[in-house]
Each structure stands twice: as structure tokens, then as C-alpha cells.
């Protein structure tokens, strides 16, 4: 019994640690895992802007193409890097040594980031970069202070500055898709949420039927119990 209690406490430890951290005021990402068009767009932005440094070793290209209804010919043309094959994982095209030399740290694999951080955190991180001349990369982030990652999407969003008094972000230079950038951030977030648990939408769908079955079973079992004990008494 003591070992069981210790195991239970250890299982709760990560959530306790996260709960003890600073509370962030996050805008909702409103990810819809049934919106395949959004996830397709997010996959495209991820490949073009993120996969240069970040990998998704737990996701295979042909799995992404199948789940998101991307024709295999398009996947071969748009999603492969170098000598990759469609059955390979989504690897970055930069070595760990190169990335550490450039950024000071090795960019993490992003396969499970959505499960670690949550969809709201990812979305808010993507929209919260600002110009910071004192930072090594020239950029900083209000959600993840002193992040080593530069704002690789700045040509789309534009440049933001942080007001020292109100601590609010202000767009001071527009990018090529400033008006669309909020949706772009949501699309990338949607793709990363999908990648973190590809079967999540199916699990939620079938979970409804499981709960209905359990409810019906409970009613029948309770009625049977009442009938049985009525004869016993």
C-alpha cells in the first residue's frame, strides 16, 4: 500500500511542479482537430519555417500525408528534405553540432511539445516575439523569456516592440502577412497539437460512445442489482 501511495505521488509530481510555476495570461488557441485544412496549412508553415532547425522524430511523413488528406505526390514534392523518403520521420536539415554553434543550444524535437506545453502556450509563444537588441539573436519573447530562438516568422508577422511601461507588444513594422498572422499561428499550433497525439480526434469521437455505453450499462446494472436484492430481502 505504501509503494502504491509513493507511485501515485510521483505521478502527480510533474503537474505539481507546473502548477507552482508562474501563471501566464494566455489567449485561447481554439484548435479544431477536425479542421484538416488548418492542419494542412500548419504543416506547410512548419516545414518551410520550423523544420530547418526542429525535427519531429515521432512523426513520419506518410502518416502526416494520410491523416491530413495530403496526396502522396504532394507530400513527395513538398515535404521531403534531401534524400528523405516518405516513410522517414520529419527530421531537421541541420545537425545538432551546427545548431548548437549557431544558437548556443540544440533546438528541441517538437513532436510532443503540445502535450508538454499545451496548445494555448504554443499559440501565444508564436505571437509574442519582440525586437530586443540586448538578446543574442536580437529577439525575445514575453511567453518564454530569453528564448534562444530568433523570430523566424518575422517576415510574415512583422516586428513588434515591448512597451517598457505597459509591457504590451506593439507592431512597429508590418510583415508580408501581418493581417493573416494570427491565423497562421493558429494553423501551426493545430498541426503541432495533431502531431503530439495523432489519434486524439478519434479518441475523443469514440470516447463519447464509450461514455454513453457506460451510462446505459450503469442503469441496467443498477436495475438488476435492485431486482436481485428485492428477492433476497
Amino acid at each position: 500500500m505504501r509503494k502504491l501511495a509513493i507511485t501515485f505521488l510521483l505521478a502527480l509530481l510533474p503537474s505539481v511542479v507546473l502548477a507552482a510555476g508562474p501563471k501566464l495570461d494566455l489567449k485561447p488557441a481554439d484548435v479544431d482537430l477536425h479542421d484538416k485544412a488548418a492542419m494542412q496549412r500548419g504543416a506547410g508553415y512548419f516545414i518551410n519555417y520550423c523544420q530547418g532547425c526542429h525535427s519531429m522524430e515521432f512523426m513520419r511523413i506518410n502518416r502526416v500525408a494520410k491523416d491530413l488528406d495530403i496526396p502522396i505526390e504532394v507530400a513527395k514534392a513538398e515535404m521531403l528534405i534531401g534524400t528523405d523518403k516518405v516513410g522517414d520521420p520529419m527530421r531537421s536539415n541541420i545537425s545538432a553540432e551546427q545548431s548548437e554553434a549557431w544558437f548556443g543550444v540544440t533546438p528541441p524535437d517538437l513532436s510532443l511539445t503540445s502535450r508538454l506545453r499545451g496548445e494555448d502556450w504554443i499559440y501565444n509563444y508564436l505571437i509574442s516575439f519582440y525586437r530586443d537588441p540586448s538578446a543574442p539573436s536580437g529577439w525575445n519573447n514575453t511567453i518564454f523569456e530569453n528564448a534562444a530562438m530568433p523570430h523566424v516568422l518575422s517576415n510574415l508577422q512583422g516586428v513588434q516592440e515591448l512597451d517598457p511601461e505597459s509591457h504590451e507588444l506593439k507592431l512597429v513594422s508590418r510583415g508580408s502577412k501581418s493581417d493573416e498572422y494570427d491565423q497562421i499561428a493558429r494553423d501551426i499550433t493545430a498541426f503541432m497539437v495533431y502531431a503530439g497525439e495523432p489519434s486524439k480526434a478519434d479518441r475523443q469521437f469514440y470516447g463519447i460512445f464509450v461514455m454513453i455505453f457506460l451510462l446505459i450499462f450503469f442503469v441496467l446494472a443498477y436495475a438488476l442489482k435492485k431486482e436481485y436484492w428485492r428477492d433476497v430481502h
Side-chain angles (χ1 to χ4, degrees):
M1 186 67 181
R2 182 180 178 184
K3 289 183 178 179
L4 181 61
I6 293 174
T7 303
F8 178 73
L9 289 174
L10 289 175
L12 287 178
L13 185 59
S15 61
V16 173
V17 172
L18 289 174
K23 181 175 176 60
L24 299 173
D25 185 17
L26 301 177
K27 300 177 183 177
D30 296 326
V31 168
D32 180 4
L33 291 178
H34 299 286
D35 187 352
K36 290 190 177 182
M39 291 184 284
Q40 288 173 359
R41 296 191 299 267
Y45 285 117
F46 182 90
I47 291 167
N48 290 324
Y49 289 91
C50 307
Q51 198 176 347
C53 297
H54 295 281
S55 60
M56 275 192 174
E57 289 285 350
F58 296 161
M59 289 303 303
R60 295 188 181 277
I61 298 167
N62 55 358
R63 171 67 188 270
V64 174
K66 179 182 177 181
D67 288 349
L68 303 186
D69 295 335
I70 300 173
I72 196 65
E73 295 78 12
V74 175
K76 289 179 180 179
E78 304 292 339
M79 300 178 68
L80 301 185
I81 295 178
T83 58
D84 285 351
K85 299 179 177 60
V86 290
D88 291 340
M90 297 181 67
R91 300 188 182 95
S92 66
N93 60 358
I94 185 175
S95 67
E97 293 77 15
Q98 284 180 310
S99 58
E100 187 169 2
W102 291 354
F103 306 117
V105 294
T106 301
D109 183 277
L110 299 182
S111 303
L112 301 177
T113 300
S114 65
R115 301 185 70 173
L116 173 66
R117 299 286 192 176
E119 62 185 53
D120 292 344
W121 189 95
I122 295 173
Y123 163 66
N124 283 266
Y125 175 74
L126 291 173
I127 64 173
S128 298
F129 278 93
Y130 65 93
R131 179 66 75 183
D132 182 0
S134 65
S137 68
W139 297 93
N140 212 325
N141 193 287
T142 59
I143 301 299
F144 189 12
E145 190 175 358
N146 297 322
M149 173 181 163
H151 190 15
V152 296
L153 298 165
S154 60
N155 67 313
L156 301 179
Q157 182 188 26
V159 177
Q160 296 186 123
E161 290 184 354
L162 183 67
D163 188 298
E165 296 183 0
S166 65
H167 298 285
E168 294 181 352
L169 294 173
K170 180 181 179 181
L171 189 68
V172 295
S173 176
R174 294 178 61 83
S176 61
K177 294 188 177 182
S178 295
D179 295 334
E180 306 169 35
Y181 186 75
D182 186 76
Q183 185 60 51
I184 291 172
R186 293 181 190 276
D187 291 344
I188 297 173
T189 302
F191 173 69
M192 292 182 64
V193 171
Y194 149 75
E197 190 177 353
S199 60
K200 184 176 181 179
D202 291 336
R203 175 175 59 78
Q204 292 175 339
F205 175 77
Y206 290 112
I208 295 173
F209 294 98
V210 171
M211 294 301 295
I212 293 174
F213 168 78
L214 291 175
L215 179 61
I216 295 173
F217 177 79
F218 171 78
V219 172
L220 294 176
Y222 182 76
L224 181 62
K225 175 256 184 189
K226 293 284 288 184
E227 181 65 22
Y228 175 80
W229 283 103
R230 184 174 64 84
D231 295 336
V232 170
H233 291 299

